[in-house]
PDB file of all heavy atoms in Angstrom:
ATOM      1  N   THR A 284       3.190  -4.591 -30.596  1.00  0.00           N
ATOM      2  CA  THR A 284       4.126  -3.467 -30.677  1.00  0.00           C
ATOM      3  C   THR A 284       5.232  -3.621 -29.630  1.00  0.00           C
ATOM      4  O   THR A 284       6.418  -3.414 -29.918  1.00  0.00           O
ATOM      5  CB  THR A 284       3.375  -2.133 -30.467  1.00  0.00           C
ATOM      6  OG1 THR A 284       2.338  -2.080 -31.438  1.00  0.00           O
ATOM      7  CG2 THR A 284       4.281  -0.926 -30.627  1.00  0.00           C
ATOM      8  N   LEU A 285       4.853  -4.013 -28.422  1.00  0.00           N
ATOM      9  CA  LEU A 285       5.872  -4.185 -27.376  1.00  0.00           C
ATOM     10  C   LEU A 285       6.788  -5.364 -27.705  1.00  0.00           C
ATOM     11  O   LEU A 285       8.018  -5.270 -27.560  1.00  0.00           O
ATOM     12  CB  LEU A 285       5.202  -4.386 -26.004  1.00  0.00           C
ATOM     13  CG  LEU A 285       6.172  -4.629 -24.842  1.00  0.00           C
ATOM     14  CD1 LEU A 285       7.156  -3.486 -24.660  1.00  0.00           C
ATOM     15  CD2 LEU A 285       5.423  -4.862 -23.538  1.00  0.00           C
ATOM     16  N   GLN A 286       6.190  -6.464 -28.164  1.00  0.00           N
ATOM     17  CA  GLN A 286       7.026  -7.625 -28.518  1.00  0.00           C
ATOM     18  C   GLN A 286       8.013  -7.243 -29.626  1.00  0.00           C
ATOM     19  O   GLN A 286       9.180  -7.615 -29.578  1.00  0.00           O
ATOM     20  CB  GLN A 286       6.152  -8.800 -28.981  1.00  0.00           C
ATOM     21  CG  GLN A 286       5.395  -9.464 -27.836  1.00  0.00           C
ATOM     22  CD  GLN A 286       4.394 -10.497 -28.310  1.00  0.00           C
ATOM     23  OE1 GLN A 286       3.909 -10.435 -29.443  1.00  0.00           O
ATOM     24  NE2 GLN A 286       4.059 -11.435 -27.443  1.00  0.00           N
ATOM     25  N   ASP A 287       7.537  -6.483 -30.602  1.00  0.00           N
ATOM     26  CA  ASP A 287       8.434  -6.050 -31.688  1.00  0.00           C
ATOM     27  C   ASP A 287       9.537  -5.148 -31.148  1.00  0.00           C
ATOM     28  O   ASP A 287      10.685  -5.238 -31.556  1.00  0.00           O
ATOM     29  CB  ASP A 287       7.647  -5.303 -32.775  1.00  0.00           C
ATOM     30  CG  ASP A 287       6.786  -6.245 -33.611  1.00  0.00           C
ATOM     31  OD1 ASP A 287       6.976  -7.473 -33.496  1.00  0.00           O
ATOM     32  OD2 ASP A 287       5.911  -5.765 -34.356  1.00  0.00           O
ATOM     33  N   ALA A 288       9.172  -4.256 -30.216  1.00  0.00           N
ATOM     34  CA  ALA A 288      10.169  -3.334 -29.657  1.00  0.00           C
ATOM     35  C   ALA A 288      11.223  -4.118 -28.873  1.00  0.00           C
ATOM     36  O   ALA A 288      12.420  -3.823 -28.957  1.00  0.00           O
ATOM     37  CB  ALA A 288       9.491  -2.311 -28.750  1.00  0.00           C
ATOM     38  N   CYS A 289      10.805  -5.135 -28.129  1.00  0.00           N
ATOM     39  CA  CYS A 289      11.765  -5.941 -27.357  1.00  0.00           C
ATOM     40  C   CYS A 289      12.609  -6.809 -28.287  1.00  0.00           C
ATOM     41  O   CYS A 289      13.738  -7.167 -27.957  1.00  0.00           O
ATOM     42  CB  CYS A 289      11.045  -6.861 -26.371  1.00  0.00           C
ATOM     43  SG  CYS A 289      10.169  -5.989 -25.069  1.00  0.00           S
ATOM     44  N   ALA A 290      12.055  -7.168 -29.449  1.00  0.00           N
ATOM     45  CA  ALA A 290      12.722  -8.131 -30.329  1.00  0.00           C
ATOM     46  C   ALA A 290      14.066  -7.632 -30.836  1.00  0.00           C
ATOM     47  O   ALA A 290      14.896  -8.445 -31.235  1.00  0.00           O
ATOM     48  CB  ALA A 290      11.817  -8.479 -31.505  1.00  0.00           C
ATOM     49  N   GLY A 291      14.295  -6.339 -30.828  1.00  0.00           N
ATOM     50  CA  GLY A 291      15.598  -5.846 -31.242  1.00  0.00           C
ATOM     51  C   GLY A 291      16.696  -6.354 -30.327  1.00  0.00           C
ATOM     52  O   GLY A 291      17.832  -6.529 -30.724  1.00  0.00           O
ATOM     53  N   ASP A 292      16.348  -6.600 -29.075  1.00  0.00           N
ATOM     54  CA  ASP A 292      17.348  -7.007 -28.096  1.00  0.00           C
ATOM     55  C   ASP A 292      17.300  -8.489 -27.769  1.00  0.00           C
ATOM     56  O   ASP A 292      18.223  -9.033 -27.196  1.00  0.00           O
ATOM     57  CB  ASP A 292      17.087  -6.266 -26.763  1.00  0.00           C
ATOM     58  CG  ASP A 292      17.464  -4.807 -26.880  1.00  0.00           C
ATOM     59  OD1 ASP A 292      18.450  -4.523 -27.556  1.00  0.00           O
ATOM     60  OD2 ASP A 292      16.745  -3.973 -26.303  1.00  0.00           O
ATOM     61  N   MET A 293      16.208  -9.154 -28.095  1.00  0.00           N
ATOM     62  CA  MET A 293      15.962 -10.437 -27.441  1.00  0.00           C
ATOM     63  C   MET A 293      15.187 -11.391 -28.333  1.00  0.00           C
ATOM     64  O   MET A 293      14.370 -10.954 -29.155  1.00  0.00           O
ATOM     65  CB  MET A 293      15.114 -10.117 -26.187  1.00  0.00           C
ATOM     66  CG  MET A 293      14.850 -11.260 -25.285  1.00  0.00           C
ATOM     67  SD  MET A 293      16.409 -11.917 -24.679  1.00  0.00           S
ATOM     68  CE  MET A 293      15.848 -13.123 -23.511  1.00  0.00           C
ATOM     69  N   ASN A 294      15.395 -12.704 -28.170  1.00  0.00           N
ATOM     70  CA  ASN A 294      14.522 -13.696 -28.799  1.00  0.00           C
ATOM     71  C   ASN A 294      13.166 -13.617 -28.112  1.00  0.00           C
ATOM     72  O   ASN A 294      13.092 -13.765 -26.894  1.00  0.00           O
ATOM     73  CB  ASN A 294      15.050 -15.113 -28.560  1.00  0.00           C
ATOM     74  CG  ASN A 294      16.361 -15.369 -29.257  1.00  0.00           C
ATOM     75  OD1 ASN A 294      16.681 -14.718 -30.253  1.00  0.00           O
ATOM     76  ND2 ASN A 294      17.120 -16.314 -28.734  1.00  0.00           N
ATOM     77  N   MET A 295      12.132 -13.412 -28.870  1.00  0.00           N
ATOM     78  CA  MET A 295      10.809 -13.296 -28.260  1.00  0.00           C
ATOM     79  C   MET A 295       9.985 -14.556 -28.516  1.00  0.00           C
ATOM     80  O   MET A 295       9.992 -15.091 -29.620  1.00  0.00           O
ATOM     81  CB  MET A 295      10.047 -12.099 -28.849  1.00  0.00           C
ATOM     82  CG  MET A 295      10.724 -10.761 -28.627  1.00  0.00           C
ATOM     83  SD  MET A 295      11.043 -10.387 -26.892  1.00  0.00           S
ATOM     84  CE  MET A 295       9.374 -10.145 -26.276  1.00  0.00           C
ATOM     85  N   MET A 296       9.272 -14.990 -27.506  1.00  0.00           N
ATOM     86  CA  MET A 296       8.319 -16.082 -27.689  1.00  0.00           C
ATOM     87  C   MET A 296       6.981 -15.466 -28.068  1.00  0.00           C
ATOM     88  O   MET A 296       6.513 -14.546 -27.407  1.00  0.00           O
ATOM     89  CB  MET A 296       8.175 -16.856 -26.376  1.00  0.00           C
ATOM     90  CG  MET A 296       7.148 -17.966 -26.460  1.00  0.00           C
ATOM     91  SD  MET A 296       6.976 -18.857 -24.916  1.00  0.00           S
ATOM     92  CE  MET A 296       5.881 -20.183 -25.441  1.00  0.00           C
ATOM     93  N   ARG A 297       6.366 -15.971 -29.117  1.00  0.00           N
ATOM     94  CA  ARG A 297       5.070 -15.418 -29.524  1.00  0.00           C
ATOM     95  C   ARG A 297       3.984 -16.481 -29.576  1.00  0.00           C
ATOM     96  O   ARG A 297       2.872 -16.186 -29.996  1.00  0.00           O
ATOM     97  CB  ARG A 297       5.186 -14.781 -30.901  1.00  0.00           C
ATOM     98  CG  ARG A 297       6.267 -13.693 -30.934  1.00  0.00           C
ATOM     99  CD  ARG A 297       6.048 -12.746 -32.053  1.00  0.00           C
ATOM    100  NE  ARG A 297       7.209 -11.895 -32.205  1.00  0.00           N
ATOM    101  CZ  ARG A 297       7.142 -10.587 -32.327  1.00  0.00           C
ATOM    102  NH1 ARG A 297       5.978  -9.968 -32.302  1.00  0.00           N
ATOM    103  NH2 ARG A 297       8.232  -9.880 -32.485  1.00  0.00           N
ATOM    104  N   HIS A 298       4.343 -17.711 -29.216  1.00  0.00           N
ATOM    105  CA  HIS A 298       3.346 -18.768 -29.382  1.00  0.00           C
ATOM    106  C   HIS A 298       2.820 -19.280 -28.047  1.00  0.00           C
ATOM    107  O   HIS A 298       2.197 -20.337 -27.997  1.00  0.00           O
ATOM    108  CB  HIS A 298       3.917 -19.911 -30.230  1.00  0.00           C
ATOM    109  CG  HIS A 298       5.170 -20.539 -29.657  1.00  0.00           C
ATOM    110  ND1 HIS A 298       6.417 -19.951 -29.735  1.00  0.00           N
ATOM    111  CD2 HIS A 298       5.369 -21.709 -29.003  1.00  0.00           C
ATOM    112  CE1 HIS A 298       7.308 -20.740 -29.151  1.00  0.00           C
ATOM    113  NE2 HIS A 298       6.685 -21.806 -28.694  1.00  0.00           N
ATOM    114  N   CYS A 299       3.030 -18.521 -26.970  1.00  0.00           N
ATOM    115  CA  CYS A 299       2.550 -18.941 -25.652  1.00  0.00           C
ATOM    116  C   CYS A 299       1.024 -19.024 -25.637  1.00  0.00           C
ATOM    117  O   CYS A 299       0.349 -18.178 -26.204  1.00  0.00           O
ATOM    118  CB  CYS A 299       3.021 -17.944 -24.589  1.00  0.00           C
ATOM    119  SG  CYS A 299       2.431 -18.352 -22.946  1.00  0.00           S
ATOM    120  N   ARG A 300       0.495 -20.039 -24.981  1.00  0.00           N
ATOM    121  CA  ARG A 300      -0.967 -20.185 -24.876  1.00  0.00           C
ATOM    122  C   ARG A 300      -1.458 -19.913 -23.454  1.00  0.00           C
ATOM    123  O   ARG A 300      -2.597 -20.189 -23.141  1.00  0.00           O
ATOM    124  CB  ARG A 300      -1.414 -21.589 -25.295  1.00  0.00           C
ATOM    125  CG  ARG A 300      -0.988 -22.020 -26.689  1.00  0.00           C
ATOM    126  CD  ARG A 300      -1.469 -21.033 -27.750  1.00  0.00           C
ATOM    127  NE  ARG A 300      -1.591 -21.625 -29.063  1.00  0.00           N
ATOM    128  CZ  ARG A 300      -0.602 -21.803 -29.940  1.00  0.00           C
ATOM    129  NH1 ARG A 300       0.620 -21.436 -29.638  1.00  0.00           N
ATOM    130  NH2 ARG A 300      -0.840 -22.316 -31.136  1.00  0.00           N
ATOM    131  N   GLN A 301      -0.585 -19.410 -22.588  1.00  0.00           N
ATOM    132  CA  GLN A 301      -0.963 -19.149 -21.190  1.00  0.00           C
ATOM    133  C   GLN A 301      -1.733 -20.342 -20.624  1.00  0.00           C
ATOM    134  O   GLN A 301      -2.881 -20.229 -20.203  1.00  0.00           O
ATOM    135  CB  GLN A 301      -1.744 -17.836 -21.098  1.00  0.00           C
ATOM    136  CG  GLN A 301      -0.841 -16.639 -21.429  1.00  0.00           C
ATOM    137  CD  GLN A 301      -1.560 -15.314 -21.398  1.00  0.00           C
ATOM    138  OE1 GLN A 301      -2.201 -14.946 -22.381  1.00  0.00           O
ATOM    139  NE2 GLN A 301      -1.467 -14.597 -20.304  1.00  0.00           N
ATOM    140  N   CYS A 302      -1.048 -21.480 -20.632  1.00  0.00           N
ATOM    141  CA  CYS A 302      -1.721 -22.742 -20.308  1.00  0.00           C
ATOM    142  C   CYS A 302      -2.034 -22.899 -18.825  1.00  0.00           C
ATOM    143  O   CYS A 302      -1.436 -22.249 -17.986  1.00  0.00           O
ATOM    144  CB  CYS A 302      -0.877 -23.941 -20.700  1.00  0.00           C
ATOM    145  SG  CYS A 302       0.541 -23.666 -21.692  1.00  0.00           S
ATOM    146  N   ARG A 303      -2.915 -23.837 -18.559  1.00  0.00           N
ATOM    147  CA  ARG A 303      -3.272 -24.161 -17.178  1.00  0.00           C
ATOM    148  C   ARG A 303      -2.120 -24.918 -16.509  1.00  0.00           C
ATOM    149  O   ARG A 303      -1.264 -25.475 -17.173  1.00  0.00           O
ATOM    150  CB  ARG A 303      -4.488 -25.104 -17.164  1.00  0.00           C
ATOM    151  CG  ARG A 303      -5.719 -24.563 -17.750  1.00  0.00           C
ATOM    152  CD  ARG A 303      -6.732 -25.671 -18.026  1.00  0.00           C
ATOM    153  NE  ARG A 303      -6.939 -26.557 -16.894  1.00  0.00           N
ATOM    154  CZ  ARG A 303      -8.132 -26.958 -16.481  1.00  0.00           C
ATOM    155  NH1 ARG A 303      -9.226 -26.527 -17.090  1.00  0.00           N
ATOM    156  NH2 ARG A 303      -8.257 -27.782 -15.477  1.00  0.00           N
ATOM    157  N   ALA A 304      -2.153 -24.941 -15.174  1.00  0.00           N
ATOM    158  CA  ALA A 304      -1.107 -25.658 -14.429  1.00  0.00           C
ATOM    159  C   ALA A 304      -1.282 -27.167 -14.532  1.00  0.00           C
ATOM    160  O   ALA A 304      -0.468 -27.923 -14.003  1.00  0.00           O
ATOM    161  CB  ALA A 304      -1.109 -25.233 -12.974  1.00  0.00           C
TER     162      ALA A 304
END
Side-chain angles (χ1 to χ4, degrees):
T284 304
L285 178 59
Q286 287 172 335
D287 287 348
C289 294
D292 288 323
M293 186 60 174
N294 293 335
M295 299 303 291
M296 177 180 187
R297 303 202 191 228
H298 58 283
C299 178
R300 304 304 204 277
Q301 293 178 277
C302 349
R303 298 165 49 135

